[in-house]
Amino acid sequence: MGHVNWIRTDELRNVEPPKVSWVIEDLVARGHVTLLVGAPGQGKSFLMAALATGVAGGGVPVAGFNTEPGEVVIIDAENGAAEIHRRVHTLGLFANTRFADVTGGFSVVKDREEIFDAVMPVTVRLLVLDSLRTLAPGIDENSSDEVTAMLTSVQQIAREADVGVCVLHHLNRAGEFRGSGAMTAVPEVVVRMYGDANDKYQRRTLTWEKFRLGARPE
């Protein structure tokens, strides 16, 4: 039987609620899950690796985002060891950023305890899961029940370890979310990343499609 935590509303109504503890301001908060979506090749992984340099580097602003200092864990099932090496070298990632290059069969559901152990040290602030498609093998993306159960497991890690979790996810060819609409039901923040193929500067735009943690950013 699950544990029920009854909340005394009469004790809370006159007390200011705790402020959101942002790891990456307006993007990833401790104890919460962010879903960052975009077409393949838009640079979601590279953006999160760059933002990780801000967190791991002592809370340095990156790309206009303020960051909280702390350790970072990135579990990567997309890019492979050689590409991870290039990114670590290019971005100058710090020793307190730990990359895990995982192979087929690793699962955020089956290997939940291994992920939890990686983020349990109190100095860890950010967990990046790249990407949902490859880190949830065997999950039917079109099944609301399976998607909800999988993302709820990720959310429990965020809450129990008090870390900010960013899950990367791909859009389909039509530019829509892959899989069940439940993909956006569990995360507290959903951000879409896109670019213009004709932009010579290769700029990227972020739009907040869901934001439970306050006033939606511009």
Side-chain angles (χ1 to χ4, degrees):
M1 181 179 293
H3 176 69
V4 178
N5 180 29
W6 292 101
I7 296 174
R8 291 285 303 273
T9 55
D10 58 325
E11 294 178 355
L12 298 180
R13 63 183 181 181
N14 295 320
V15 179
E16 283 293 319
K19 293 182 179 179
V20 176
S21 182
W22 292 107
V23 181
I24 303 168
E25 190 173 13
D26 291 338
L27 191 63
V28 183
R30 291 173 65 177
H32 299 285
V33 176
T34 293
L35 186 69
L36 177 61
V37 298
Q42 286 294 324
K44 300 182 297 297
S45 302
F46 200 85
L47 172 64
M48 288 311 302
L51 290 168
T53 66
V55 176
V60 178
V62 175
F65 289 96
N66 293 321
T67 64
E68 178 190 12
E71 294 184 18
V72 178
V73 174
I74 301 176
I75 298 178
D76 191 326
E78 289 269 313
N79 297 293
E83 179 60 24
I84 290 172
H85 186 171
R86 283 190 286 270
R87 292 180 183 191
V88 169
H89 181 76
T90 300
L91 294 168
L93 283 162
F94 296 86
N96 57 348
T97 301
R98 290 182 289 156
F99 260 104
D101 174 29
V102 298
T103 57
F106 188 92
S107 164
V108 294
V109 176
K110 178 176 64 68
D111 299 295
R112 180 189 183 279
E113 291 306 314
E114 187 170 352
I115 298 172
F116 186 73
D117 289 344
V119 299
M120 266 306 293
V122 295
T123 49
V124 176
R125 293 290 181 268
L126 175 65
L127 168 64
V128 179
L129 299 174
D130 188 6
S131 68
L132 193 61
R133 175 184 62 182
T134 47
L135 286 172
I139 298 294
D140 181 358
E141 289 187 342
N142 295 304
S143 167
S144 176
D145 290 344
E146 291 186 26
V147 167
T148 298
M150 178 261 297
L151 286 174
T152 298
S153 178
V154 173
Q155 189 179 62
Q156 288 172 345
I157 292 174
R159 291 177 178 175
E160 292 172 18
D162 194 29
V163 298
V165 180
C166 185
V167 181
L168 308 189
H169 186 49
H170 297 309
L171 296 174
N172 61 25
R173 292 181 180 178
E176 301 298 331
F177 287 91
R178 289 170 53 100
S180 166
M183 287 287 181
T184 62
V186 175
E188 287 85 3
V189 179
V190 178
V191 179
R192 184 186 295 243
M193 179 177 181
Y194 60 92
D196 182 349
N198 297 317
D199 181 2
K200 66 178 181 179
Y201 299 109
Q202 298 185 336
R203 289 170 291 195
R204 296 294 185 266
T205 298
L206 299 180
T207 60
W208 277 251
E209 303 204 348
K210 179 181 178 181
F211 197 76
R212 285 184 184 165
L213 305 180
R216 187 172 301 195
E218 294 290 337

